[in-house]
């Protein structure tokens, strides 16, 4: 019997990364984050923290999953734990 409840569906990285934005789960909602709002992403064990100017989101996905989709879209992995948005000067 198929599960009729869409909130139980596990999203794949292909489902959450578009050409100009990503979606992150916040409670029962999906929040859309434009790529140009992301300052950097940081790995924390099996989680990735997405840092914006005024807030951050924690996703239960490893950084490598985001790397596959974000590299070539203005992002670069500078360390095994960090991907930065080249549009922002972090230093």
């Amino acid at each position: 019997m198929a599960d009729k409840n869409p909130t139980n569906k596990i999203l794949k990285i292909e489902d959450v990364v578009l050409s100009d934005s990503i979606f992150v789960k916040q409670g029962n909602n999906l929040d859309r984050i434009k790529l140009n709002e992301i300052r950097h992403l940081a790995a924390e064990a099996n989680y990735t923290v997405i840092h914006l100017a005024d807030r951050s989101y924690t996703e239960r996905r490893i950084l490598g999953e985001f790397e596959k989709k974000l590299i070539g879209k203005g992002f670069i992995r500078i360390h095994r734990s960090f991907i930065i948005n080249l549009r922002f000067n972090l230093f």
Side-chain angles (χ1 to χ4, degrees), residues 42-57:
E44 291 187 11
N46 291 330
Y47 295 86
T48 298
V49 181
I50 303 166
H51 294 275
L52 284 61
D54 58 347
R55 63 193 181 281
S56 62
Y57 295 91

Side-chain angles (χ1 to χ4, degrees), residues 13 62-71 73 83:
I13 195 71
I62 61 172
L63 191 62
E65 292 182 40
F66 285 99
E67 178 183 22
K68 291 175 188 175
K69 294 296 178 176
L70 296 176
I71 301 304
K73 295 182 179 175
I83 295 175

Side-chain angles (χ1 to χ4, degrees), residues 2-90:
D3 188 1
K4 302 281 184 190
N5 186 351
T7 59
N8 289 338
K9 180 184 177 206
I10 297 174
L11 295 174
K12 297 178 183 171
I13 195 71
E14 295 83 16
D15 298 331
V16 297
V17 178
L18 301 176
S19 62
D20 69 337
S21 58
I22 62 172
F23 290 91
V24 295
K25 187 169 181 169
Q26 291 294 293
N28 291 327
N29 300 319
L30 285 177
D31 288 351
R32 182 179 181 181
I33 303 172
K34 293 192 177 243
L35 295 182
N36 62 6
E37 295 177 352
I38 299 172
R39 296 206 173 227
H40 68 282
L41 297 90
E44 291 187 11
N46 291 330
Y47 295 86
T48 298
V49 181
I50 303 166
H51 294 275
L52 284 61
D54 58 347
R55 63 193 181 281
S56 62
Y57 295 91
T58 302
E59 281 289 291
R60 190 172 183 181
R61 300 178 192 285
I62 61 172
L63 191 62
E65 292 182 40
F66 285 99
E67 178 183 22
K68 291 175 188 175
K69 294 296 178 176
L70 296 176
I71 301 304
K73 295 182 179 175
F75 291 83
I76 186 169
R77 191 165 190 165
I78 60 167
H79 183 270
R80 61 184 277 203
S81 298
F82 292 99
I83 295 175
I84 63 167
N85 186 340
L86 293 172
R87 294 174 193 94
F88 290 99
N89 184 359
L90 298 176

